[in-house]
Amino acid sequence: MIRFLNVSLEHAQRRGIDNVTFSIAKGEFVVLAGPTGAGKTTILRLIYQELFPDSGQVMIQGQFQHKVSSKERAIKRREIGIVFPEARLLHDRTIFDNIALPLYITGETRRRIQLQVNRLLFRFGLKDRGKAYPAELSTGEQKKVAIARALAVRPLILLADEPLAHIDGEACAEILEHLCQIKEEGMTILAATHVADPYKSIANRILQIINGRLTE
Amino acid sequence: MNISLLFILKESIEGLRRGLFHSFIAAAAAGLAMCVLGLFAYGALNLQRTAQGLLNQMQIEAFISLALPESRHSDLQRAVETLDQRWQVKYVSRTEAASLFAREFDSQLFDVLKANPLPASFKITLPLQSVQPDSFRSAAARLIALPGIEDAVYDSDLLNMIYAGKQRLSSWGYFGSIAIILIALGLIFNAARLKIDAQRDGIHLMSLLGATPWMLRGIYLTQGAILGGIGGLVSSILIVGLRFVVQMRLAGGIDLVLPHPYLPAVGGLLLGMIGGGLAVGRYLRV
């Protein structure tokens, strides 16, 4: 599903990744663990094509990621669900509209949007929070909204960057439970984290990255 | 309807509603810019029109030699008319010249002189496209060359002054309009950028969620068109109102023209679109 072949990328002012090679099979839950600045987010950004490698090749679903037109890139991104470290919800929109955003982009009908978002609100225990605004939610609830938004278009791959960051123990357990369910549904998950322990029981593999190099 | 178009329309309208303050600033900037541009353009147009009106009243007066018997004046008129068939030639007899003189100056003068010393003349109006100093000079020269014409005169100083003024107005009108359009575009661009900058996180996020650059650009093109159109419409209404007030004050005076009063609204719409489209450009490199 995801394959990196000797991928290197140097950022202008900080370390990137150096000769990274790994692959993730369909339906696998892989955790990318390493300290801050190790290159975890760089790997995720290479997958959703916000960055391109200096050398080596990135392959997603059997296709090499080439520098394509921005339109094609946008359409490819619709197959990937992304959970950002700070949740990145739009604060001037309701929770319903935040979850529905990718569906508006892909042009789903009003009825299907209603159905899908309500289903996700229910699944994440937020069914009464649809009309609330992000500021009215706890950090844990915001994370759940971010995951729900990533799942809205039923992506093939879920990329989660620090999904447990800034949340307490109970909310962490809930998020892990949701990630576990998503894995069981057969979705490929790559989660980046600086603390791997919480994932040990649910992840198929943990990849260690230090100073831009994988040390599996 | 196309799915991208639906998304663009939805996001545009909701974006305007969500950022009301920035929307108001952008519409006000467009309105102000179109008001200044409209007033300048319509002002320059009316000044030019006034200058052209004055030019159109300029005539050449060709005096007929006193030695030429009156019975030959109609032959001479035909000869003058043959010089250029576009000329309007009006014959002024000696008697008419005397009565005109008496009306304008001193009616007692002819009683003292006991005779009419004024010659008959032709008053020649040149076609509109020929109202310029060179045409007057060459027309006067051709008239003087005709046997029976004593002299051909026109107020060359006045003609030169009005003509040069009109030319200057025309150049200033063009350059001024271009300068104001650029300033207006800058103003609208900055107002749009202010609005877009407040929504940059949303733009970046939508791009990562799969919105194509044209979907995002479309939102700001549409918002620019709506806000620019609203600002332009307000300026159109203000300009029409101002013209009405000024026209009332100039009762019986100059008639101010305001061709296509909807132009500031259309201009605002276009400049809004261009400003919005340009302003969002730098936020689309994701």
Side-chain angles (χ1 to χ4, degrees), chain B residues 176-216:
Chain B
S177 295
I178 290 168
I180 295 175
I181 286 172
L182 291 176
I183 293 168
L185 190 58
L187 198 66
I188 293 169
F189 171 81
N190 274 306
R193 202 168 62 173
L194 198 70
K195 185 170 167 48
I196 293 165
D197 199 62
Q199 298 172 346
R200 64 184 185 281
D201 283 346
I203 296 171
H204 186 231
L205 181 68
M206 283 193 259
S207 173
L208 295 180
L209 294 180
T212 63
W214 267 108
M215 285 165 85
L216 297 169

Side-chain angles (χ1 to χ4, degrees), chain A residues 72-97:
Chain A
E72 285 176 79
R73 189 157 66 235
I75 289 164
K76 274 177 179 272
R77 279 178 184 160
R78 294 176 190 175
E79 295 172 356
I80 301 171
I82 312 167
V83 180
F84 300 98
E86 307 295 334
R88 288 187 70 173
L89 302 180
L90 296 177
H91 289 266
D92 53 0
R93 296 176 196 229
T94 62
I95 298 307
F96 183 97
D97 279 340

